[in-house]
Amino acid sequence: MDSQTSQSSQASAQESQKTQSPQEPQQEAQDAQASRPAPSAHTFQVDLRGLVDLLSHHLYSSPKVYLRELLQNAVDAITARRAEEPDAPARVRLHADGGTLRVEDTGIGLTESDVHELLATIGRSSKRAEGLQEARSDFLGQFGIGLLACFVVAERIRVVSRSARTPDAPPVEWTARDDGSYTVRTLPDSARPEPGTTVHLQARAGAGEWLAEERVLALARDFGSLLPYDVRVGEEAVTDLPAPWDRAYPSPAARRVALARHCHDLFGFSPLDSIDLDVPVAGIRGVAYVLPSAVSPAQRAGHRVHLKGMLLTERAEQLLPDWAFFVRCVLDTDSLRPTASRESLYEDETLAAVREALGERIRSWLTGLAAGDPERLAAFLSVHHLGVKSLARHDTEMLRTMLPWLPFETTDGRLSLEEFAQRHPVVHFTRSVEEYRQVAPIASAQGIGVVNGGYTYDSELVEALPSVRPGTAVAELDADTVTAHLDAVDPPEELALAGFLATARAKLDPLGCDVVLRAFHPLSVPALHLDDRAARHERARAEAETQADDLWAGILGSLRGSAPRARLVLNHLNPLVRRISSLGDAELVGTATESLYGQALLMAQRPLRPADSALLNRAFIGLLEWATHGEEGHR
């Protein structure tokens, strides 16, 4: 009975589920959700001391940035006031005395409510205050945390401010300590009669040197020399306007001298030349100084960038294209974005566009030198040809412009590609210095012009030559090409020397080298060692195979290629080779062949393998023994 009732109940339930409307499960879920307790909201627990330490000690690279932040706040406050009062005074005064620093400005100032809202809220910037948003692009600061940098050198910050926007409001004092605590109080009118702000710093233990007057003056001049307002440390002026590149000079020569002096003071070197960097669309004015000595392309250049007059960084690495490593820049901009620490540039589309525009300025300078000042261009290329070659391999127009000027090592001496192509119907080149050294003497004697493409970018530029000089034939010169240009020996003569050649080949076969007989000039060269890249790779693989265990030997064996081996080309016209080929002593022929092989390696300036060094030693000793035995026989 119970079982039947249960089954009946289950059937009824199943039937009920089949007839239940689709909305009912959703409704049940909503009812269940409504019956649960609502989640409670929580607030992040912030350790103010730890946060202040993080921002002030780890966001910035050096304690010196504290002064930049103070100057920045003062300049921004003046900018904000002048947006409302164009004739308002624009002064910043710094007074350093015995471990304390006082910074006064005639800026917009703050009310008590501004202090609570802005200074006491980390991450809130005064530039976001109502009424100032439209002038935001004129401010240097963008993050509202700069005042915390002062805690790097100070244990207490005291700010006394009076608002220019609310003249009736009393002065207000905000005092903060590095433990994250602060106090606020209003002051009598006499404490600050005029609108503006005064910041007082009390040095922390061990940081007093950063608040010394001499140090403050040096930092202020470094950071603020291009600021648009009157900034002084005591009675000493900080600003030095207009910028050196914007000043009027009596003559172009006087301008070059002045800029060279500026470069020496700023970067410590006297430049080869200076390049104006004027990009009005991006709000950029400045100058690039050409280094007087060669530097590695991999060396990261440090450029000085000012943002609206304030020095942002002296290590801007991404400002110029990589190929422009031969200049150092200093410029002022109002369009580039700083990072949160305001010590580097934010990588965005604007920076990419500026980088391209500045690269174009440097490219135009090079083109101008090529067109109107070949002597200065030659002096520049003698030092920085590598940078120009780097540019020319990606820029067809630059390659066409620089073609008559870029130097290359050739069998005709150091020439430009233009001059070399005029002399030779086919421009042959090698891809490595080693290959060039092997073939250059013989190719030159055969009338084959060869360019050494083994140096950085050279082979790429030679291959690009037809694109800027239509009709020019370019061909890579390898061992096979050189051998093909050498005269073959008459078959009867070569057949008569078959025994000599067989002995010589047997002697050099263990070294992976074949022996061929040719007739070529100059006669003074008895033998030529030719070895292309494929042969070297195969020889390296074979050597690795002999030294590897069974597993790796099998793997390397499977990679065995069919590349031609190195060749020792004996010169049939050379008297020494003729005498050696007529010797009847097979052992002496073998020793002489090894000597010719070693001498050919040394002529090609090839790096010697251990086996090659052993061969040279063995051949030298063998020849000495033969010579001394011969002397004994004569006695």
Side-chain angles (χ1 to χ4, degrees):
M1 183 72 174
D2 293 340
S3 175
Q4 292 177 354
T5 304
S6 175
Q7 291 175 1
S8 176
S9 299
Q10 293 176 1
S12 300
Q14 292 174 356
E15 187 65 26
S16 175
Q17 290 177 359
K18 292 178 181 179
T19 59
Q20 196 174 33
S21 64
Q23 289 80 11
E24 290 178 359
Q26 182 178 358
Q27 185 63 43
E28 289 179 359
Q30 293 176 352
D31 293 342
Q33 180 70 21
S35 65
R36 296 175 185 169
S40 57
H42 298 277
T43 303
F44 283 106
Q45 300 301 310
V46 179
D47 178 0
L48 278 181
R49 181 188 290 271
L51 184 58
V52 167
D53 178 75
L54 173 66
L55 293 176
S56 62
H57 289 82
H58 302 286
L59 180 64
Y60 303 103
S61 62
S62 168
K64 69 180 183 180
V65 299
Y66 88 92
L67 193 67
R68 184 196 63 194
E69 299 297 340
L70 288 174
L71 287 176
Q72 179 172 285
N73 288 341
V75 170
D76 284 345
I78 294 173
T79 301
R81 185 176 179 185
R82 283 204 157 185
E84 301 180 2
E85 306 175 40
D87 296 330
R91 298 187 305 272
V92 181
R93 298 291 182 264
L94 296 90
H95 305 276
D97 182 21
T100 63
L101 176 65
R102 186 173 81 256
V103 182
E104 302 175 348
D105 69 67
T106 57
I108 193 69
L110 300 171
T111 64
E112 182 176 358
S113 61
D114 292 335
V115 166
H116 283 290
E117 181 182 2
L118 302 174
L119 295 186
T121 305
I122 295 175
R124 177 71 61 86
S125 171
S126 61
K127 273 71 79 176
R128 298 189 181 98
E130 182 181 358
L132 300 184
Q133 188 67 30
E134 64 275 7
R136 182 177 173 80
S137 62
D138 294 329
F139 295 127
L140 305 178
Q142 299 286 318
F143 298 93
I145 56 177
L147 194 60
L148 293 177
C150 295
F151 282 121
V152 176
V153 298
E155 63 181 6
R156 188 183 67 172
I157 303 173
R158 177 171 168 256
V159 178
V160 177
S161 186
R162 184 163 193 161
S163 175
R165 188 182 294 111
T166 312
D168 296 336
V172 60
E173 177 192 71
W174 177 81
T175 304
R177 296 187 175 277
D178 58 3
D179 61 1
S181 64
Y182 73 92
T183 60
V184 179
R185 63 172 180 157
T186 58
L187 300 176
D189 289 345
S190 59
R192 178 83 200 193
E194 299 295 329
T197 301
T198 303
V199 179
H200 303 261
L201 299 186
Q202 179 68 48
R204 65 169 58 249
E209 62 174 310
W210 291 102
L211 274 63
E213 184 175 16
E214 184 177 349
R215 176 67 68 88
V216 169
L217 177 59
L219 292 178
R221 284 177 171 167
D222 193 36
F223 284 120
S225 62
L226 301 183
L227 289 175
Y229 304 132
D230 180 15
V231 182
R232 296 177 182 271
V233 177
E235 299 300 323
E236 297 288 338
V238 168
T239 53
D240 186 19
L241 294 177
W245 51 85
D246 285 331
R247 294 173 189 168
Y249 296 95
S251 67
R255 186 175 191 272
R256 281 198 297 270
V257 171
L259 289 180
R261 187 183 307 113
H262 176 248
C263 176
H264 190 274
D265 294 341
L266 206 59
F267 294 113
F269 65 85
S270 297
L272 283 177
D273 204 351
S274 58
I275 308 168
D276 286 325
L277 302 178
D278 184 9
V279 187
V281 175
I284 287 179
R285 288 284 298 159
V287 63
Y289 294 115
V290 181
L291 291 165
S293 57
V295 294
S296 168
Q299 180 177 333
R300 303 301 296 177
H303 308 292
R304 289 177 65 93
V305 177
H306 295 255
L307 179 61
K308 302 179 181 69
M310 181 72 72
L311 178 65
L312 177 70
T313 178
E314 54 190 358
R315 299 187 303 274
E317 298 179 350
Q318 67 274 47
L319 187 65
L320 294 180
D322 290 339
W323 56 262
F325 55 82
F326 49 83
V327 299
R328 294 293 179 268
C329 295
V330 53
L331 56 83
D332 188 22
T333 176
D334 59 14
S335 63
L336 299 179
R337 290 176 56 195
T339 58
S341 66
R342 293 187 286 281
E343 295 188 270
S344 59
L345 297 172
Y346 187 81
E347 184 69 50
D348 57 9
E349 293 180 358
T350 302
L351 180 58
V354 166
R355 184 187 300 120
E356 184 175 346
L358 295 180
E360 182 58 37
R361 292 294 182 275
I362 298 173
R363 185 185 291 108
S364 299
W365 170 78
L366 285 170
T367 304
L369 286 187
D373 200 340
E375 290 186 3
R376 288 173 67 196
L377 178 63
F380 166 75
L381 289 177
S382 67
V383 179
H384 296 298
H385 60 275
L386 193 60
V388 179
K389 287 180 177 180
S390 174
L391 171 60
R393 67 193 179 118
H394 295 302
D395 189 324
T396 303
E397 191 58 37
M398 180 55 62
L399 177 58
R400 183 179 290 106
T401 302
M402 292 290 111
L403 201 59
W405 308 102
L406 289 175
F408 288 79
E409 182 180 355
T410 77
T411 49
D412 293 351
R414 198 161 181 81
L415 300 174
S416 69
L417 285 181
E418 175 67 28
E419 186 176 358
F420 188 82
Q422 291 174 356
R423 296 184 181 186
H424 300 277
V426 179
V427 178
H428 290 94
F429 72 98
T430 63
R431 292 191 181 277
S432 71
V433 175
E434 185 178 87
E435 292 172 350
Y436 177 80
R437 289 171 178 169
Q438 288 181 37
V439 303
I442 306 304
S444 179
Q446 304 302 314
I448 305 172
V450 185
V451 177
N452 184 357
Y455 296 113
T456 306
Y457 310 133
D458 283 8
S459 62
E460 298 174 67
L461 293 176
V462 174
E463 288 181 300
L465 189 56
S467 67
V468 296
R469 200 175 188 275
T472 303
V474 173
E476 182 177 354
L477 187 67
D478 55 17
D480 289 334
T481 305
V482 175
T483 304
H485 278 80
L486 303 180
D487 294 334
V489 178
D490 291 338
E493 292 187 57
E494 187 168 1
L495 184 61
L497 298 175
F500 160 71
L501 292 176
T503 302
R505 287 165 181 159
K507 197 67 175 178
L508 297 185
D509 184 69
L511 297 173
C513 183
D514 293 332
V515 177
V516 296
L517 188 66
R518 293 289 187 274
F520 56 86
H521 292 273
L523 301 180
S524 58
V525 178
L528 174 65
H529 184 271
L530 296 179
D531 189 10
D532 58 21
R533 280 167 293 156
R536 288 196 297 274
H537 291 163
E538 174 60 21
R539 186 168 61 250
R541 185 210 58 77
E543 291 177 357
E545 181 180 354
T546 60
Q547 300 174 6
D549 55 28
D550 294 341
L551 174 61
W552 283 108
I555 295 174
L556 292 171
S558 67
L559 300 176
R560 185 180 294 112
S562 58
R565 305 203 303 173
R567 272 154 287 180
L568 181 67
V569 184
L570 300 178
N571 187 359
H572 186 56
L573 301 180
N574 181 266
L576 176 61
V577 172
R578 285 180 172 271
R579 286 197 297 271
I580 293 174
S581 65
S582 64
L583 293 174
D585 187 339
E587 183 177 349
L588 182 57
V589 168
T591 300
T593 301
E594 289 181 332
S595 299
L596 290 174
Y597 173 82
Q599 188 261 354
L601 287 180
L602 295 176
M603 280 186 60
Q605 302 182 41
R606 279 280 312 278
L608 299 180
R609 300 170 295 165
D612 297 331
S613 299
L615 176 143
L616 282 171
N617 184 64
R618 183 172 64 249
F620 179 71
I621 297 298
L623 290 177
L624 285 179
E625 289 180 351
W626 179 80
T628 54
H629 289 164
E631 286 294 326
E632 291 176 359
H634 288 304
R635 291 176 186 175

